Amino acid sequence: MAQPESLYGLLFPSDPQVSPDGQRAAFVLTDVHDTGTKERPAMRYRARLHLADGHGTRPLTFGDTDRAPRWSPDGTTLAFLRGQPAQLHLLPLAGGEAEKVTDLPGSVGDAQWSPDGEHLAFLSGAGRDEHADDEARVAERLSYRFNGLGWRTDVCRAVHVLNVRTREVRTLHMPPFEVRDFAWWPDGRGLLLATASDEAQDARGHADLVTVTLDGTPGETVAWGGSVGALAPHADGRILLLGRPGERGFVTDPHLHLYEDGAWRAVDAHTDRPAGNLVGGDSHVGAMPGRPAWLDAHTVAFLQTRGGACGVAQLDVRSGAITDRVFHAERVVAGFTANANGIAHLDESASDFPEVVLNGQRVTQNAARLGDLSPVAPARVTFGTDLGEGEGWVLSSGNGPQPALLSIHGGPHTAYGHAFMHEFQVFAARGYAVCYSNPRGSVGYGQAFVDDHHGRWGTVDAADLLAFFDACLARFPHLDRARTGVMGGSYGGFMTNWLTSQTDRFHVAVTDRCISNLISFQGTSDIGPWFWQAELGLDAHTAADVDRLWQMSPLKHAGNVRTPTLIIHAEEDHRCPVEQGEQWFTALKARGVPVRFVRFPGEDHELSRSGRPDRRVRRLHEYLRWLHTYVPAGADAEPVGA
């Protein structure tokens, strides 16, 4: 029987980078190895660079933290990052050892070659004292901490440039606010930076664009004022970016926007499907590149999400015509890079573990590492909504009576679909049927499907989820109505709390990195200061809105909860802070509801997807232990409390 420990055998691919000639791909493979002793194992990730070409696939490095390979324009050298703090290294592909070329006090990130290959630009916090806050931490900006980064000082990462020939490193630009993304101008004039123009923009993660020349001189600012996912400037002065304009944040689907003749226009919005991969999976350890790529003067390759699938599309920016480059209705491209000569991407499905593909040929065999985990394919289930047909899936193995688990994704503006979910496959192998869907608010079905959820958390979304679950139970008689559970993380944790405070139909619940109190969330989450205004049109600092936010809070209705609940939370989660789990635990415990609170130190909001492997395994064991207590799986299991 498959165990959570099957995670230890997996080989996670990431960051596929196609070579300039399009015939090779450099990428990262991350495995799990034991850095401890026989008496005290310590399972940790180990990342190494690999190269695929016409002769096969081979390892390039043998370190433990090698990542972010980047091709020189002539294809002879790879720049990559190694160590903690990460430092820039250069590896000659004709032979020889990798050379460390930076030695800065802060980590190096986002290294990019100049078009002529003479420079490497990167971001680093070098120059600031990273231990200056040992005695006291002082915040004067609204955005003073961020999930995955922790405390943010007022000194942002600077833009640095390495002279490849002399190995000289100099600071090019010290921005007053964080650089959200940057890219070289293809004609070599300098760097295009996306960074906030003021503190209000910075607090919302918004940016404008500015060019900085190689002598460090900032040029004219191009106003954008929205989020920036990736920049792709053209040599002729046009700017393409993947992002969301305006004040609504990620309530608006991301699209491709082109700046030309002094104005912005969305060049893909007529398709009404978001740009980028927004389908969630839990087998993505490492970077998943998604920067749009110019293939010629008018054609751009980019990722596009359609329902539960994602692939690479090609866009003619003149006509807006879109054709498929790599797209399958039941698969996901999690990351890609492309140029006029070739394409490298990560391919997966709900039953196929992620693999690296170079120009249509799979160059990895990661599925061979699944061990005793035999993935099964899900069955699609449809349900009705006010906007038409909704979709979801049931993942199960075997035909005997099985407990049915309703799993709810986070976001809420993400999607479940055809990405590989190790967690779901483990549950299925242990005799559980996992039912997962995309209720209103999910992406991939058009902006109206997202907008219909605005301001209505706990209403139309709850109706869609229950309609889907009822459809699953009706279609598959082997799902046991007397053994049902509900679970979810982030927004899915909110919905788990909400549903158990509104109905007793579920026999067990697992709420992961949840939201329970919408009022306190606004002041404690890293995105809290603007999140409710974007999502609900409400503000916890406005007296007239407080009652509505409290009415929407599961905590207000905690007295109705009877469902045994497992609470999972990471102590360094700044997105859904641990105080949200603490409040839910206290409320349920005080009312005599069976509850267990499991906290993970040293982990943040990404625990279930890229957290430390031993902690991910412990988390799954906690799930299975709780489920077995109240809805045991197996033909001989008797329901508890049914």
Side-chain angles (χ1 to χ4, degrees):
M1 180 182 295
Q3 297 289 340
E5 282 80 4
S6 58
L7 182 81
Y8 294 154
L10 302 182
L11 197 58
F12 303 94
S14 65
D15 212 356
Q17 296 289 322
V18 70
S19 62
D21 65 5
Q23 303 308 301
R24 296 170 291 170
F27 54 92
V28 180
L29 288 179
T30 300
D31 66 358
V32 179
H33 73 130
D34 190 352
T35 63
T37 64
K38 182 178 180 180
E39 293 75 21
R40 194 176 181 84
M43 308 304 288
R44 302 292 186 270
Y45 293 120
R46 176 174 58 189
R48 294 171 172 177
L49 306 188
H50 287 67
L51 179 69
D53 55 24
H55 305 290
T57 299
R58 60 186 174 91
L60 288 176
T61 65
F62 296 90
D64 290 342
T65 58
D66 300 343
R67 57 204 185 276
R70 297 295 182 265
W71 291 92
S72 63
D74 63 7
T76 65
T77 305
L78 278 178
F80 70 97
L81 302 180
R82 170 182 284 174
Q84 295 292 344
Q87 299 297 320
L88 190 61
H89 291 66
L90 296 180
L91 176 67
L93 293 176
E97 295 294 323
E99 178 188 0
K100 182 179 179 182
V101 293
T102 63
D103 188 15
L104 302 174
S107 286
V108 169
D110 304 311
Q112 297 183 34
W113 289 87
S114 63
D116 60 10
E118 295 182 4
H119 298 89
L120 275 158
F122 58 88
L123 301 176
S124 178
R128 75 184 187 196
D129 183 356
E130 297 191 345
H131 301 288
D133 56 7
D134 283 351
E135 294 182 359
R137 292 179 174 178
V138 178
E140 293 185 328
R141 290 181 177 175
L142 189 59
S143 180
Y144 64 90
R145 75 270 193 260
F146 197 78
N147 187 71
L149 298 177
W151 185 266
R152 293 177 60 188
T153 72
D154 287 346
V155 180
C156 300
R157 292 183 301 169
V159 182
H160 301 267
V161 171
L162 167 77
N163 185 306
V164 175
R165 181 178 57 82
T166 66
R167 302 302 198 249
E168 175 192 6
V169 175
R170 61 187 176 89
T171 302
L172 183 70
H173 183 61
M174 301 253 331
F177 303 102
E178 281 292 337
V179 173
R180 303 292 177 179
D181 190 40
F182 76 91
W184 285 92
W185 281 100
D187 61 4
R189 75 182 76 167
L191 297 169
L192 180 66
L193 311 180
T195 185
S197 296
D198 54 45
E199 187 175 343
Q201 272 196 356
D202 182 59
R204 296 181 67 89
H206 290 176
D208 290 324
L209 311 183
V210 61
T211 295
V212 177
T213 63
L214 273 179
D215 64 4
T217 303
E220 182 180 355
T221 297
V222 175
W224 168 246
S227 70
V228 176
L231 295 170
H234 194 277
D236 63 13
R238 291 177 296 165
I239 301 171
L240 186 76
L241 68 76
L242 190 163
R244 298 174 167 98
E247 295 299 314
R248 294 187 64 200
F250 55 80
V251 176
T252 303
D253 278 351
H255 285 286
L256 297 182
H257 299 264
L258 186 67
Y259 183 79
E260 60 181 347
D261 301 325
W264 289 101
R265 64 184 177 94
V267 290
D268 70 319
H270 68 282
T271 65
D272 202 19
R273 294 295 184 268
N277 175 33
L278 299 176
V279 182
D282 68 356
S283 300
H284 302 154
V285 177
M288 299 292 130
R291 188 184 300 276
W294 288 97
L295 304 182
D296 58 38
H298 305 293
T299 308
V300 174
F302 69 105
L303 293 176
Q304 187 178 60
T305 297
R306 303 175 197 166
C310 180
V312 181
Q314 291 187 179
L315 168 74
D316 186 317
V317 298
R318 297 166 299 182
S319 66
I322 292 177
T323 57
D324 291 344
R325 175 74 176 265
V326 180
F327 210 103
H328 190 285
E330 294 184 350
R331 303 192 75 82
V332 166
V333 174
F336 90 111
T337 55
N339 56 39
N341 301 313
I343 180 172
H345 72 274
L346 294 174
D347 175 77
E348 64 185 300
S349 77
S351 56
D352 294 321
F353 196 76
E355 306 283 3
V356 179
V357 178
L358 173 63
N359 296 325
Q361 299 297 314
R362 189 176 68 182
V363 297
T364 56
Q365 303 293 331
N366 300 324
R369 299 286 293 266
L370 290 172
D372 62 353
L373 188 66
S374 299
V376 293
R380 184 172 181 266
V381 176
T382 61
F383 59 97
T385 79
D386 293 342
L387 298 180
E389 184 178 82
E391 71 173 342
W393 299 267
V394 175
L395 187 73
S396 68
S397 58
N399 298 312
Q402 292 186 328
L405 308 177
L406 174 62
S407 181
I408 308 169
H409 68 63
H413 310 306
T414 59
Y416 272 148
H418 302 290
F420 190 88
M421 292 288 291
H422 171 262
E423 174 179 317
F424 290 178
Q425 294 289 347
V426 168
F427 293 157
R430 297 295 291 267
Y432 292 94
V434 186
C435 308
Y436 53 105
S437 69
N438 290 326
R440 272 171 284 182
S442 304
V443 298
Y445 304 91
Q447 189 64 52
F449 201 78
V450 174
D451 289 344
D452 202 48
H453 184 240
H454 184 261
R456 300 207 285 173
W457 280 33
T459 59
V460 297
D461 46 2
D464 287 356
L465 288 163
L466 295 179
F468 161 71
F469 196 54
D470 286 339
C472 294
L473 295 174
R475 177 173 168 184
F476 298 102
H478 70 281
L479 301 188
D480 190 348
R481 294 173 179 267
R483 287 179 291 161
T484 63
V486 59
M487 60 189 188
S490 195
Y491 162 79
F494 161 84
M495 279 303 306
T496 297
N497 297 347
W498 181 260
L499 288 176
T500 57
S501 74
Q502 305 298 310
T503 176
D504 290 334
R505 68 175 295 175
F506 297 102
H507 302 91
V508 68
V510 182
T511 185
D512 207 321
R513 56 193 185 279
C514 73
I515 299 172
S516 62
N517 183 340
L518 274 60
I519 297 173
S520 65
F521 178 89
Q522 181 162 329
T524 57
S525 169
D526 58 354
I527 61 174
W530 55 266
F531 190 73
W532 294 136
Q533 184 61 49
E535 280 291 325
L536 306 173
L538 301 175
D539 181 357
H541 300 144
T542 300
D545 292 345
V546 170
D547 286 346
R548 292 181 63 191
L549 286 168
W550 183 236
Q551 184 63 36
M552 286 179 163
S553 297
L555 195 64
K556 179 184 186 299
H557 311 282
N560 299 330
V561 177
R562 302 291 181 268
T563 309
T565 301
L566 171 65
I567 302 170
I568 301 282
H569 227 109
E571 293 189 344
E572 295 183 14
D573 189 337
H574 291 296
R575 185 62 35 82
C576 295
V578 70
E579 60 91 13
Q580 295 287 311
E582 291 171 339
Q583 293 191 66
W584 197 239
F585 173 76
T586 300
L588 300 193
K589 191 69 176 177
R591 289 162 173 78
V593 177
V595 62
R596 178 177 172 87
F597 189 13
V598 181
R599 302 164 60 120
F600 288 88
E603 296 294 340
D604 60 32
H605 200 65
E606 300 304 309
L607 166 63
S608 67
R609 296 177 281 250
S610 58
R612 209 172 78 182
D614 54 343
R615 292 171 178 158
R616 291 179 65 180
V617 167
R618 172 63 184 271
R619 170 182 170 275
L620 289 179
H621 275 297
E622 291 288 346
Y623 267 69
L624 290 169
R625 174 178 179 241
W626 193 254
L627 293 173
H628 180 74
T629 300
Y630 294 97
V631 289
D636 297 329
E638 291 294 332
V640 175

